[in-house]
């Protein structure tokens, strides 16, 4: 164990820069190494390397064999040879701890760490349970653990300097609607039980973001138990409020030094250097008793939507009271069929009689609000359909829900680019402004409708916010609808993609994933948004739909194991660069 540490120090500090450096292991070669390696529970990294030397897997890879032999013989390594050893360390981590990491993910998914109305996260017993679980894992892995007032859980591995790299992940998840968790074949899923079906691990938090916690813990475990020397410290900072108030990380930094460099395992590969600004617009409609329009006898008395402003749900449901449920069901289904055809045909509308009257359901495709194009929003479609029914048949009494439908149609519609309100614009690198009508909150006093904007570079956010308020105020005046607005908006993030730090990250991700060596932009915001040298480093693939925040959230097994491999290599690589500048 000590030998491993000494050799990497020697290989790093005494780097000899080759005129034509040899290539690192390709993703294809890495797969061959994994396929032909058998790592036992008692094996160490040196045993893994000895096995590779004696096998035929690398028989045609002379440069890699030379690096391994020099490493095991305590000889000085060239820079690329050191990178090869770091990659092999990642493969070893995956081979040895892949199944154990999946088991740990199941343990954390089983803890329902969503926001409970009226209860602070740090007072929630489920988060206390999560803190205990992380503390026990850290102790088992011989890693330092601190619980900062139940706001942030810190797990760290020490280096030889005072410099700190912050790895950011979060333990909180968005709420669930259990009835929507089911597969097309009829299989019912428990959101808080990891269910493995094929190559998918289903469960809330498997993608966002408990997988990031788990792969970081196991990567740090390997670094620690193999005595891999680091020139800087790594702190895994586990947030508890990322999905709600985002207050935990600022609370932590008010009491602890801010890391010099920060990466979030809560976005996309390979390296994301730009994040759109986050905006929330809440329209509050005071409750009012239904007023008949013409001969309307039915009244919409409830409506559902997203449970969080950053969540596009799979369905929206309204309850309607009526004196003739049979007739109303027939009318709504006929009008619904025509509405679906006229608006893309990629969602459904169905009305059914119940003991309370009529239940009307619009089913779409759930998505993260930062990627509205990847889903089909049932909330906006429900409001627009209600408005359409009123325009054609005037079936509903006028109340706060029909008021909201008028507001949605006039200002947001089915568009997700802000065109209806006239605030659309785009940035060459970061893409367009997007809007998602998501959250619904309804009680005896009011109906709240939340819209989530993601704003790229290109507009002054203060001026944009005022423009939105002016446009909504103008509509208020012309419509006469009683509504109040609350709006907040953050600046977008756009980093300079220069320096050893981000380019080393880019090498690690793009090489392991066979991706183009290109920096990326994200519509999703993370906890590194306002931190020094903050970037996203996975763990999602940009060419696959993000399942976080969706019903039936899942993480692919192969990708999870790749994440473990990549994060292990990343810590070794970033930890051993002389300077990150």
């Amino acid at each position: 164990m000590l030998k491993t540490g000494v050799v990497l120090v020697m290989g790093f500090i005494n780097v000899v820069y080759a005129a034509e450096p040899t290539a690192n292991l390709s993703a294809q070669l890495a797969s061959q190494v994994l396929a032909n390696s058998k790592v036992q529970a008692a094996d160490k990294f040196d045993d893994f390397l000895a096995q590779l030397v004696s096998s035929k897997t690398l028989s045609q890879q002379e440069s890699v064999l030379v690096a391994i032999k020099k490493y095991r013989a305590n000889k000085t390594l060239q820079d690329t040879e050191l990178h090869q050893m770091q990659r092999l360390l990642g493969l070893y981590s995956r081979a040895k701890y892949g199944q154990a990491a999946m088991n740990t993910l199941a343990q954390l998914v089983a803890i329902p760490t969503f926001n409970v109305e009226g209860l602070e996260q740090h007072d929630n017993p489920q988060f206390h349970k999560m803190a205990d679980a992380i503390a026990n894992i850290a102790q088992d892995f011989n890693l330092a653990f601190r619980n900062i007032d139940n706001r942030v859980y810190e797990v760290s591995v020490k280096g030889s300097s005072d410099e700190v790299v912050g790895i950011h992940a979060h333990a909180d998840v968005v709420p669930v609607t259990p009835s929507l968790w089911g597969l097309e074949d009829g299989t019912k899923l428990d959101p808080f039980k990891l269910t493995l079906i094929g190559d998918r691990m289903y469960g809330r938090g498997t993608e966002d973001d408990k997988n990031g916690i788990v792969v970081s813990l196991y990567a740090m475990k390997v670094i620690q138990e193999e005595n891999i020397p680091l020139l800087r410290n790594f702190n895994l900072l586990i947030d508890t409020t990322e999905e709600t108030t985002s207050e935990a990380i600022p609370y932590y930094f008010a009491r602890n030094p801010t890391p010099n460099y920060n990466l979030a395992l809560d976005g996309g590969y390979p390296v994301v250097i730009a994040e759109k600004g986050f905006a929330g617009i809440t329209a509050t409609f005071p409750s009012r008793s239904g007023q008949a329009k013409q001969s309307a006898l039915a009244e919409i008395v409830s409506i559902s939507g997203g449970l969080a402003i950053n969540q596009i749900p799979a369905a929206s449901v309204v309850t309607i009271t009526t004196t003739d449920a049979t007739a109303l069901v027939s009318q709504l289904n006929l009008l619904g069929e025509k509405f679906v055809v006229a608006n893309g045909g990629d969602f459904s509308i169905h009305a059914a009689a119940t003991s309370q009257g009529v239940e009307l359901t619009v089913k779409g495709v759930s998505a993260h609000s930062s990627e509205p194009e990847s889903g089909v929003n049932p909330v906006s479609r429900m409001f627009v359909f209600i408005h359409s029914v009123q325009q054609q048949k005037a079936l509903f009494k006028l109340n706060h829900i029909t008021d909201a439908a008028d507001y949605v149609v006039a200002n947001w519609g089915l568009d997700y680019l802000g065109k209806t309100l006239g605030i659309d614009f785009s940035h060459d690198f970061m893409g367009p402004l997007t809007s998602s009508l998501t959250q619904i909150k309804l009680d005896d006093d009011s109906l709240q409708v939340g819209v989530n904007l993601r704003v790229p570079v290109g507009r002054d956010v203060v001026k944009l916010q005022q423009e939105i308020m002016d446009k909504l105020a103008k509509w208020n005046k012309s419509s006469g609808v009683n509504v109040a607005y609350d709006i907040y908006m953050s600046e977008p993030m756009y980093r300079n993609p220069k320096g050893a730090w981000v380019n080393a990250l880019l090498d690690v991700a793009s090489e392991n994933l066979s991706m183009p060596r290109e920096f990326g932009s994200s519509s999703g915001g993370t906890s590194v948004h306002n931190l020094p040298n903050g970037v996203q480093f996975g763990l999602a693939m940009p060419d696959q739909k993000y399942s976080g925040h969706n019903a039936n959230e899942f993480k692919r097994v192969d990708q999870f194991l790749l994440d473990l491999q990549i994060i292990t290599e990343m810590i070794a690589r970033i930890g051993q660069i002389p300077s990150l500048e």
Side-chain angles (χ1 to χ4, degrees), residues 219-341:
M220 296 169 82
K221 170 183 173 66
V222 169
I223 296 292
Q224 184 81 332
E225 68 187 10
E226 293 294 336
N227 288 325
I228 305 301
L230 304 174
L231 298 180
R232 48 194 58 88
N233 307 301
F234 284 80
N235 289 351
L236 171 62
L237 304 177
I238 302 172
D239 189 357
T240 61
T241 62
E242 197 275 346
E243 301 289 8
T244 52
T245 63
S246 297
E247 294 176 348
I249 288 295
Y251 182 94
Y252 173 88
F253 288 130
R255 294 157 178 81
N256 296 274
T258 302
N260 312 78
Y261 298 85
N262 295 274
L263 58 89
L265 307 184
D266 188 25
Y269 282 122
V271 181
V272 171
I273 60 171
E275 295 180 353
K276 290 180 179 177
F278 185 101
I281 303 168
T282 301
T284 301
F285 301 85
S287 295
R288 64 185 182 104
S289 300
Q291 298 176 340
K293 181 179 182 181
Q294 299 176 13
S295 59
L297 299 177
E299 182 176 6
I300 303 172
V301 294
S302 73
I303 183 169
S304 70
L307 300 177
I309 199 167
N310 51 9
Q311 177 190 48
I312 298 174
S316 177
V317 180
V318 303
T319 301
I320 308 168
T321 59
T322 179
T323 57
D324 190 346
T326 301
L328 183 60
V329 165
S330 178
Q331 287 180 297
L332 291 176
N333 281 331
L334 181 61
L335 292 169
E337 183 178 346
K338 294 179 180 179
F339 184 84
V340 169
V341 171

Side-chain angles (χ1 to χ4, degrees), residues 146-210:
R146 290 199 305 144
N147 182 345
I148 291 78
D149 299 332
N150 285 309
R151 269 82 166 182
V152 173
Y153 319 132
E154 176 196 274
V155 183
S156 58
V157 61
K158 300 302 181 184
S160 59
S161 73
D162 293 331
E163 191 171 43
V164 177
V165 175
I167 300 175
H168 296 251
H170 62 89
D172 60 324
V173 297
V174 294
V176 300
T177 303
S179 62
L180 299 178
W181 282 67
L183 306 182
E184 292 183 359
D185 65 2
T187 300
K188 297 298 182 182
L189 299 173
D190 181 343
F192 297 107
K193 178 182 178 181
L194 191 147
T195 304
L196 178 61
I197 300 178
D199 187 45
R200 294 183 176 186
M201 296 183 289
Y202 290 96
R204 179 60 91 215
T206 53
E207 174 101 287
D208 186 22
D209 183 38
K210 293 177 180 178

